[in-house]
Amino acid sequence: MNREKSEQIFAEAQQVLVGGVNSPVRAFKSVGGAPIVMARGEGAMLFDVDGNAYIDYVGSWGPLILGHAHPEVVPALNHALSQGTSFGTSTEVEVKLAQKITSAFPGMDQIRFVNSGTEATMSALRLARAFTKRDKIIKFDGGYHGHADLLLVQAGSGVATLGLPDSPGVPHSATQDTISVSFNDLDVVKEIFNQHPDQIAAIIVEPVAGNMGLILPEPNFLSGLKKITKTNDALLIFDEVMTGYRVAYGGAQTKFDIQPDLTCLGKVIGGGLPVGAYAGRKEIMSQLAPLGSVYQAGTLSGNPLAMTAGLTTIGLIEQDDIYDRLETLTQALTQGLRDSAKRAGMPVEVNQIGSMFNLFFSETPVKNYEQAKATQHQHYTLFFQSMLDQGIYLPPSPFETWFMSLAHTDQHIEQTLDAAKLAFYNLTN
Ligand code: HOZ
């Protein structure tokens, strides 16, 4: 595969962009080789600047549930664009999107739009601390909630990919109230509550962990967190930036029937444009300015382009059969990967829920960050490179989630499984 132009652009990029990228995982550090410079996307496909085509399972890290450049999203955006890009005022489209989202998530009375998942989680935690008048928060090892200071403790995603335990530049004072514990371990959460009575404001959790690879909650884990927070007058915050509209229309909270106190969203609700949101019961949300005294603001919050892309996208995934279709496609691929690895004699664990999935090179199930870190990353690197050479674009890190879109077809899956067959064969021979 000729990638001359891509390599040339990346060489230039390294002169002017830090590490040649604007977000660390994109630098391919953990899988080697130069990142591919993409020129355009269409449906399930990405095309690089040299004209090579790839079946895309990154989907811009989750938002593109309809695939790239969807024929209904693009005209809607073109129209919105023609009306002006940003007003810094109220708009009708933000109200429509707010109505749509709050009616999909049970117990969500009000929502505040922001511009990224990072903003959503840090603002939700500020609100939770104000509401409970407590400072401490619990997160989970390998859980990634963006890069706000208070959350860069044992974080997943790029932090895990680059093997950074925590980040320099984050003062101790910013993280002294952040307690990070093992995902799927209820006993340790109970223990922390016993050690710090009346001090814990909230637990923040990705209900399905998506930034240490994909890790599903054990059967009683989420209901256990709900019970513990309720008993201790703390708040339960679901970070559904990835899982919202992905594992079900109403997110993981609908799928598992657990109502959190606050929810953070992003990705799908912006249809591929920058967005984030946090939402919850009126009693909590009304503490935010201008109704209450908890401050948070943003010039581009509720940006009409992002709101339009989100509203159009969500409008197209409203029916139940959409999720059945996504699940069927995803299961065909994940089961095919398991079968193919087995035939090649390569032990793998393929985790899946809705249209989110990933593959760990591991002989045993992967249920937390420690176990994810112990999987065979070298195997992932070789697998990734072989798939890339065969025109399949996977996340360039074993700690990220793969995403299926509605633009993927049986033919894409067949082609992916053919490539995987060779990639597994290369690994074992
Ligand atoms: N941390 C992001 C995914 N979990 C990666 C974002 C990017 O590199 O675009």
Side-chain angles (χ1 to χ4, degrees):
M1 203 178 259
N2 174 20
R3 296 198 195 118
E4 210 176 309
K5 199 165 173 200
S6 217
E7 281 162 19
Q8 194 188 319
I9 294 176
F10 188 62
E12 281 177 45
Q14 283 169 289
Q15 302 301 313
V16 284
L17 296 171
V18 181
V21 292
N22 279 309
S23 191
V25 186
R26 298 179 198 174
F28 277 35
K29 284 269 187 213
S30 76
V31 290
I36 316 297
V37 178
M38 296 300 176
R40 67 182 187 92
E42 187 183 327
M45 305 300 293
L46 273 174
F47 299 88
D48 70 17
V49 286
D50 292 285
N52 301 306
Y54 305 85
I55 303 174
D56 179 22
Y57 291 103
V58 177
S60 186
W61 307 93
L64 300 181
I65 196 162
L66 298 171
H68 295 272
H70 188 273
E72 287 185 53
V73 177
V74 173
L77 270 174
N78 277 334
H79 175 71
L81 192 57
S82 72
Q83 305 302 300
T85 52
S86 174
F87 314 125
T89 67
S90 296
T91 58
E92 190 178 4
V93 65
E94 69 185 1
V95 180
K96 286 192 174 153
L97 184 58
Q99 285 165 341
K100 193 86 139 173
I101 295 173
T102 52
S103 56
F105 288 76
M108 195 185 269
D109 300 324
Q110 293 197 318
I111 188 164
R112 167 67 58 87
F113 290 112
V114 289
N115 294 292
S116 68
T118 293
E119 263 189 83
T121 55
M122 79 179 192
S123 310
L125 283 164
R126 181 182 303 149
L127 186 55
R129 282 172 160 173
F131 184 77
T132 57
K133 301 187 175 57
R134 298 173 179 178
D135 286 343
K136 293 199 183 303
I137 58 157
I138 296 179
K139 72 174 282 289
F140 294 92
D141 299 344
Y144 181 72
H145 309 281
H147 59 88
D149 279 359
L150 80 168
L151 288 161
L152 280 183
V153 180
Q154 289 293 313
S157 190
V159 187
T161 303
L162 300 176
L164 310 169
D166 301 301
S167 174
V170 174
H172 172 68
S173 56
T175 55
Q176 67 189 6
D177 288 317
T178 304
I179 304 169
S180 188
V181 299
S182 185
F183 189 71
N184 272 329
D185 189 343
L186 270 184
D187 289 339
V188 73
V189 176
K190 283 184 200 149
E191 175 79 35
I192 299 292
F193 271 92
N194 289 338
Q195 281 169 13
H196 305 280
D198 302 326
Q199 291 175 57
I200 295 166
I203 297 179
I204 184 162
V205 63
E206 294 170 81
V208 177
N211 285 288
M212 44 175 146
L214 183 81
I215 300 188
L216 271 65
E218 292 280 84
N220 296 323
F221 182 60
L222 298 174
S223 55
L225 295 181
K226 174 76 191 175
K227 202 166 151 200
I228 296 169
T229 43
K230 202 165 178 205
T231 314
N232 290 280
D233 295 321
L235 300 187
L236 179 61
I237 305 176
F238 272 10
D239 177 347
E240 295 229 44
V241 167
M242 271 191 193
T243 51
Y245 292 99
R246 268 288 173 186
V247 303
Y249 185 76
Q253 54 200 265
T254 308
K255 184 113 183 164
F256 295 106
D257 196 19
I258 311 284
Q259 207 170 296
D261 299 290
L262 287 171
T263 300
C264 299
L265 293 168
K267 311 244 186 217
V268 172
I269 67 158
L273 271 79
V275 87
Y278 57 112
R281 294 199 305 276
K282 198 169 182 175
E283 175 199 9
I284 306 174
M285 293 303 290
S286 59
Q287 301 227 349
L288 266 184
L291 291 183
S293 50
V294 180
Y295 200 71
Q296 180 273 312
T299 297
L300 289 167
S301 298
N303 173 267
L305 294 181
M307 299 292 102
T308 300
L311 187 63
T312 313
T313 298
I314 292 175
L316 290 165
I317 55 173
E318 251 170 319
Q319 314 91 317
D320 278 352
D321 66 327
I322 294 282
Y323 285 88
D324 294 342
R325 228 167 88 206
L326 274 170
E327 184 93 30
T328 306
L329 278 170
T330 314
Q331 279 178 3
L333 180 55
T334 50
Q335 194 48 48
L337 287 168
R338 284 187 200 104
D339 294 344
S340 180
K342 195 168 178 188
R343 274 195 297 273
M346 175 55 68
V348 298
E349 284 291 320
V350 182
N351 291 343
Q352 180 257 330
I353 183 165
S355 52
M356 298 170 69
F357 60 110
N358 87 318
L359 180 150
F360 285 115
F361 286 93
S362 171
E363 290 182 16
T364 49
V366 183
K367 297 181 176 177
N368 59 37
Y369 187 40
E370 278 308 305
Q371 293 169 354
K373 282 197 290 188
T375 62
Q376 296 292 329
H377 298 167
Q378 190 54 25
H379 286 356
Y380 187 81
T381 295
L382 297 171
F383 184 77
F384 170 87
Q385 290 295 350
S386 170
M387 295 296 272
L388 192 66
D389 287 342
Q390 297 178 79
I392 313 293
Y393 194 73
L394 303 178
S397 160
F399 293 111
E400 298 288 349
T401 293
W402 310 11
F403 294 95
M404 185 71 74
S405 81
L406 285 158
H408 287 84
T409 61
D410 292 341
Q411 208 188 327
H412 292 126
I413 287 166
E414 214 173 291
Q415 209 177 318
T416 308
L417 288 174
D418 284 345
K421 188 175 168 188
L422 181 64
F424 286 132
Y425 176 85
N426 288 343
L427 269 172
T428 46
N429 286 276

